[in-house]
Amino acid sequence: MGLIGILIASDAPAQEIFGRWMVESGKAVIEILPCGQQACGRIAWLKNPLDKDGAPKTDVMNPDPDKTDRLLCGLPLVEGLRRQEDGMWARGSIYSTRDGATYGIDVTPIDENSLAVRGYVGLALFGSTQTWRRDTEQRTCRDSTLEAGVKP
């Protein structure tokens, strides 16, 4: 791409990462919000919000015993994402409810309806990337428990 192409690309409006995003597996929606000069995120919806006993799922894998009873729906997961000059958001962290560990995260808008989300240990080189799609249905934690048959 020549100099003109670079100038045009740099003038293109940056795609925002804020909003609700369905993770690649389809099992959760993460809401990414502005948090001061950074971005953060929380679980906004779960496909399976209940445990095997029919109770709302909690953060049972958390290594801190005082946090294992926190509800997964609404749980903060993403912290500290910082906007980069190229439109990417980087150097954040993401908490995994699957193993109770925290990983690095970088987020790159692909277009207005999709994000490339890279989770990693240490360096971004040692990670994997998922594509998250915009949640056009605007699902909520309340919706997920109603779908599972739990009345508020």
Side-chain angles (χ1 to χ4, degrees):
M1 182 161 67
L3 181 57
I4 294 173
I6 292 170
L7 292 174
I8 292 170
S10 66
D11 288 340
Q15 299 292 329
E16 281 299 335
I17 66 168
F18 303 121
R20 293 172 180 258
W21 303 92
M22 177 68 72
V23 300
E24 195 169 85
S25 68
K27 294 181 179 179
V29 170
I30 308 301
E31 182 176 25
I32 299 180
L33 305 159
C35 294
Q37 297 298 312
Q38 300 177 356
C40 59
R42 65 180 183 84
I43 297 174
W45 174 86
L46 291 169
K47 183 176 183 177
N48 299 307
L50 306 179
D51 64 19
K52 61 180 173 45
D53 298 323
K57 286 183 179 175
T58 59
D59 192 12
V60 296
M61 298 305 292
N62 197 304
D64 181 344
D66 292 334
K67 295 182 178 179
T68 58
D69 61 347
R70 299 185 305 171
L71 294 177
L72 289 189
C73 252
L75 187 74
L77 291 183
V78 178
E79 294 182 346
L81 280 170
R82 296 162 186 84
R83 186 189 301 263
Q84 307 301 300
E85 288 183 22
D86 62 0
M88 179 174 137
W89 290 73
R91 300 190 321 258
S93 63
I94 186 165
Y95 172 72
S96 170
T97 61
R98 276 185 259 145
D99 61 13
T102 300
Y103 300 94
I105 185 175
D106 294 341
V107 178
T108 304
I110 297 169
D111 57 40
E112 67 183 29
N113 291 311
S114 54
L115 302 174
V117 179
R118 184 154 186 89
Y120 55 89
V121 176
L123 300 172
L125 176 66
F126 304 111
S128 63
T129 302
Q130 291 188 3
T131 301
W132 291 5
R133 305 271 179 223
R134 189 171 297 280
D135 176 37
T136 57
E137 294 182 35
Q138 296 295 300
R139 299 167 177 94
T140 67
C141 283
R142 185 172 187 277
D143 296 337
S144 61
T145 54
L146 289 174
E147 290 165 9
V150 175
K151 296 185 181 185

